[in-house]
């Protein structure tokens, strides 16, 4: 893993070094040497001799030769030509030390690389490559020193946007907060595409959505067809509840971006934008598309998508469909809770509160809520008292005049369970009082059994001596 880490860093640093120009030898020598190296001749050393002789006093060309070897992972020759360059410059050529540092990185020697980069800084305090690569190597092992070195670069080279470099270092170190803070100080107009992606991503992961949208709007001026910026623009807009702007970015993402490889998050956010504008049918269509995409690159879990589809159906008045997707959502959760399952019952209770429903439709919704609670009581026996109480409430809504007795079996079961409990809590006592009240009222009004009603009234007064309805029943003649 350590070797892979340094090889990754080496790949990041490739191409970062300053361009070189020939002094004594010809600039064409660099291209010729690259051709020789790429052809992998058997007599490589022989073919290189005349180019070395022609450039043995040209440190820049010698480093360019060494870098050509480095690019094909020939670290032995890269080291040789870096040292030739140091001989030519009397050990005062910073790019040679930078190349030697890169060779150490490829050899999995972080400490050796850092030493070479420090030497490069010593001989040329204004060389940005040395500071940058020193920071890459030491960003985790000595972040304090990295910050100090980059501050030194800022003092030496005020023309270089060091905050942009700090932002990049933080980004590849997974320090989103640091990346956001550093890039926020940088000149956004001078950031390249990859830096803008890092800046916008840091905004997203730190919840700075307004800042992220500002970054994206600057980025699309330069890169209007780059899918990442259109994607992030849609996501930031949705997070900010700018749903119309989110759909504009979605249109650009799907219809005016190059090389888009969509995953489920693109369609999910498009669905959220439609949902925010109450375009529920279109929202469901987008969510269904997100659900259909199977990819390792997906960022949104199936459970979240199913919940969003359920919510869209509920908002659109399709409660049965909402319940179906809600059940699918619950099935995808690793450890669904009581509250998760209760959402199905609450869904139908909400439907029953719709004042535009017919009585038959309202009763049908309540019956579905009751069935959901019945199932819930079987799954979570520890919550049975609460479930019975909810079913009794539903029974009362179906039978407000107490004629049908739909609440009766649930209140009777509550009394059976709670009455003998010596350790019942305050909530259970209140539920028991409600159950007694129901029994008292039904005995008096429906069964016409005054004695039985008084028995329940006395039970209420035993737990709540000031309960007025029970007092009134006890005093009946």
């Amino acid at each position: 893993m350590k070797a892979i880490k340094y090889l990754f860093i080496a790949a990041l640093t490739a191409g970062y070094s300053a361009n070189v120009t020939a002094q004594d030898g010809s600039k064409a020598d660099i291209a010729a040497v690259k051709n020789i190296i790429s052809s992998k001749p058997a007599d490589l050393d022989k073919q290189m001799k005349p180019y070395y002789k022609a450039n043995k006093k040209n440190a820049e060309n010698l480093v360019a030769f060494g870098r050509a070897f480095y690019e094909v992972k020939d670290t032995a020759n890269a080291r040789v030509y870096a040292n030739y360059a140091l001989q030519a410059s009397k050990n005062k050529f910073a790019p040679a030390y930078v190349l030697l540092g890169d060779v150490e990185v490829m050899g999995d020697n972080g400490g050796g690389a850092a030493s070479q980069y420090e030497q490069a800084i010593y001989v040329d305090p204004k060389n940005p490559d040395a500071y940058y690569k020193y920071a890459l190597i030491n960003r985790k092992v000595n972040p304090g020193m990295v910050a100090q070195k980059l501050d030194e670069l800022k003092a030496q080279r005020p023309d270089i946007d060091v905050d942009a470099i700090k932002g990049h270092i933080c980004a590849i170190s997974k320090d989103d907060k640091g990346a956001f803070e550093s890039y926020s100080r940088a000149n956004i107009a001078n950031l390249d595409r990859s830096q803008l992606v890092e800046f916008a991503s840091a905004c997203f992961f730190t919840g700075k959505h307004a800042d992220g949208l500002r970054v994206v709007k600057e980025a699309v001026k330069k890169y209007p067809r780059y899918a990442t910026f259109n994607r992030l623009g849609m996501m930031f807009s949705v997070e900010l509840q700018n749903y119309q702007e989110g759909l504009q970015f979605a249109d650009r993402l799907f219809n005016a971006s190059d090389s888009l490889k969509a995953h489920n998050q693109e369609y999910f956010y498009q669905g959220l934008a439609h949902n925010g504008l109450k375009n529920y049918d279109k929202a469901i269509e987008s969510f269904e598309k997100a659900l259909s995409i199977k990819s390792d690159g997906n960022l949104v879990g199936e459970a979240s998508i199913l919940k969003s589809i359920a919510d869209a159906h509920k908002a659109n008045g399709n409660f049965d469909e909402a319940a179906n997707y809600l059940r699918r959502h619950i099935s995808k959760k690793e450890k669904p809770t009581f509250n998760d399952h209760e959402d199905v019952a609450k869904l139908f209770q909400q439907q029953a509160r719709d004042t535009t429903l017919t009585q038959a439709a309202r009763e049908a919704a309540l019956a579905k809520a009751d069935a959901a609670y019945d199932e819930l009581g079987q799954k979570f026996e520890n919550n049975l008292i609460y479930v019975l109480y909810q079913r009794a409430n539903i029974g009362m809504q179906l039978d407000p005049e107490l004629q049908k007795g739909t609440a009766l079996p649930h209140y009777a079961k509550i009394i059976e369970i709670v009455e003998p409990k010596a350790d019942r809590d305050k909530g259970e006592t209140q539920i028991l009082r409600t159950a007694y009240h129901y029994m008292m009222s039904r005995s008096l009004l429906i069964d016409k059994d005054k004695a039985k009603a008084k028995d329940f009234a006395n039970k209420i007064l035993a737990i709540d001596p000031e309960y007025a309805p029970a007092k009134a029943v006890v005093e009946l003649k």
Side-chain angles (χ1 to χ4, degrees):
M1 285 297 295
K2 192 175 180 183
I4 292 173
K5 176 183 72 174
Y6 285 119
L7 284 173
F8 175 68
I9 294 171
L12 285 172
T13 62
Y16 192 85
S17 297
N19 292 330
V20 296
T21 55
Q23 291 176 342
D24 299 324
S26 168
K27 189 173 183 179
D29 287 351
I30 298 172
V33 165
K34 287 182 178 179
N35 287 334
I36 292 171
I37 293 171
S38 64
S39 66
K40 300 179 180 179
D43 59 345
L44 176 64
D45 290 343
K46 181 179 179 181
Q47 292 194 40
M48 285 297 302
K49 278 185 180 180
Y51 290 99
Y52 166 67
K53 288 182 179 180
N55 293 274
K56 64 182 179 180
K57 294 183 179 181
N58 187 330
E60 291 187 16
N61 272 17
L62 291 169
V63 166
F65 297 167
R67 180 118 349 236
F69 280 113
Y70 170 83
E71 295 297 338
V72 296
K73 297 183 173 55
D74 184 346
T75 54
N77 275 311
R79 190 188 301 275
V80 166
Y81 279 87
N83 285 317
Y84 283 158
L86 289 177
Q87 291 174 14
S89 65
K90 297 182 179 179
N91 298 321
K92 294 185 182 298
F93 194 54
Y97 289 112
V98 171
L99 176 56
L100 286 173
D102 293 350
V103 168
E104 296 296 340
V105 168
M106 194 171 282
D108 194 22
N109 182 5
S115 296
Q116 296 293 351
Y117 297 143
E118 282 195 285
Q119 188 62 26
I121 292 169
Y122 175 76
V123 300
D124 183 3
K126 296 184 182 299
N127 185 295
D129 287 355
Y131 291 94
Y132 171 74
K133 294 183 177 184
Y134 176 89
L136 280 178
I137 282 294
N138 286 285
R139 69 189 192 276
K140 291 184 178 179
V141 296
N142 197 343
M145 183 60 72
V146 166
Q148 180 181 326
K149 285 293 183 185
L150 290 176
D151 286 339
E152 290 175 14
L153 173 60
K154 193 170 187 176
Q156 291 286 343
R157 294 289 302 273
D159 58 308
I160 290 177
D161 195 341
V162 173
D163 287 310
I165 296 175
K166 287 182 177 181
H168 172 64
I169 296 295
C170 290
I172 63 175
S173 302
K174 307 300 182 185
D175 178 4
D176 296 316
K177 182 180 177 182
F180 169 75
E181 292 174 350
S182 296
Y183 273 128
S184 293
R185 294 190 296 268
N187 186 344
I188 193 171
N190 294 333
L191 299 182
D192 63 23
R193 192 175 75 176
S194 63
Q195 291 170 323
L196 288 166
V197 169
E198 290 176 345
F199 190 3
S201 298
C203 289
F204 188 82
F205 292 121
T206 55
K208 307 292 185 181
H209 301 130
D211 293 286
L213 188 58
R214 175 180 61 84
V215 173
V216 166
K217 287 182 175 179
E218 285 296 318
V220 295
K221 293 176 184 177
K222 295 181 180 179
Y223 312 100
R225 296 188 62 85
Y226 192 55
T228 297
F229 296 130
N230 290 322
R231 178 188 298 110
L232 285 169
M234 174 180 64
M235 295 167 73
F236 285 129
S237 297
V238 169
E239 295 290 347
L240 293 167
Q241 299 183 15
N242 298 336
Y243 300 118
Q244 193 61 56
E245 188 170 36
L247 288 180
Q248 291 170 1
F249 273 109
D251 180 64
R252 293 174 57 157
L253 175 65
F254 293 115
N255 301 311
S257 293
D258 295 326
S259 304
L260 171 66
K261 184 179 180 182
H263 299 97
N264 69 6
Q265 53 267 26
E266 286 87 356
Y267 292 101
F268 179 72
Y269 269 88
Q270 183 186 43
L272 292 178
H274 279 304
N275 204 57
L277 294 172
K278 300 183 179 180
N279 302 327
Y280 299 121
D281 289 338
K282 290 184 177 179
I284 292 167
E285 182 181 342
S286 295
F287 290 142
E288 290 283 9
K289 180 66 176 176
L291 196 62
S292 71
I293 295 177
K294 309 300 180 187
S295 170
D296 291 338
N298 287 344
L299 297 180
V300 185
E302 274 191 83
S304 295
I305 300 172
L306 289 164
K307 180 63 164 59
S308 295
I309 297 175
D311 289 342
H313 275 300
K314 180 176 72 172
N316 210 21
N318 301 324
F319 285 88
D320 286 328
E321 281 296 297
N324 289 336
Y325 278 97
L326 197 52
R327 289 189 178 98
R328 289 176 63 185
H329 154 73
I330 294 168
S331 72
K332 295 294 181 181
K333 300 190 75 171
E334 185 176 349
K335 293 183 178 180
T337 65
F338 177 88
N339 291 337
D340 291 327
H341 286 280
E342 190 184 14
D343 283 343
V344 177
K346 287 181 175 179
L347 183 70
F348 289 117
Q349 286 181 308
Q350 179 180 336
Q351 182 185 19
R353 289 192 291 270
D354 184 351
T355 57
T356 65
L357 290 180
T358 65
Q359 182 62 22
R362 178 175 175 275
E363 290 180 359
L366 287 171
K368 291 173 184 174
D370 182 68
Y373 273 116
D374 183 22
E375 183 181 347
L376 196 59
Q378 296 174 45
K379 287 180 181 289
F380 297 90
E381 292 184 2
N382 290 340
N383 296 87
L384 182 58
I385 296 171
Y386 172 81
V387 168
L388 290 168
Y389 182 65
Q390 291 300 325
R391 295 190 71 189
N393 284 335
I394 293 170
M396 286 295 296
Q397 293 177 65
L398 289 167
D399 179 29
E401 301 298 325
L402 312 184
Q403 295 289 338
K404 301 175 184 177
T406 50
L408 179 60
H410 309 307
Y411 280 129
K413 189 66 175 177
I414 286 173
I415 293 171
E416 179 187 327
I417 296 172
V418 179
E419 189 177 59
K421 286 188 69 173
D423 60 343
R424 62 174 178 257
D425 58 31
K426 183 178 179 180
E428 290 172 334
T429 299
Q430 289 177 338
I431 289 174
L432 180 61
R433 187 188 69 181
T434 302
Y436 285 152
H437 179 103
Y438 175 86
M439 292 300 193
M440 176 184 73
S441 301
R442 184 171 173 80
S443 297
L444 184 65
L445 301 174
I446 304 302
D447 299 336
K448 308 300 181 182
D449 188 337
K450 190 184 297 184
K452 190 175 181 182
K454 287 187 176 185
D455 286 342
F456 282 113
N458 284 319
K459 288 185 176 184
I460 292 175
L461 294 174
I463 60 177
D464 187 356
E466 301 303 318
Y467 193 67
K471 285 182 175 181
V473 170
V474 168
E475 293 171 0
L476 287 174
K477 301 299 182 182

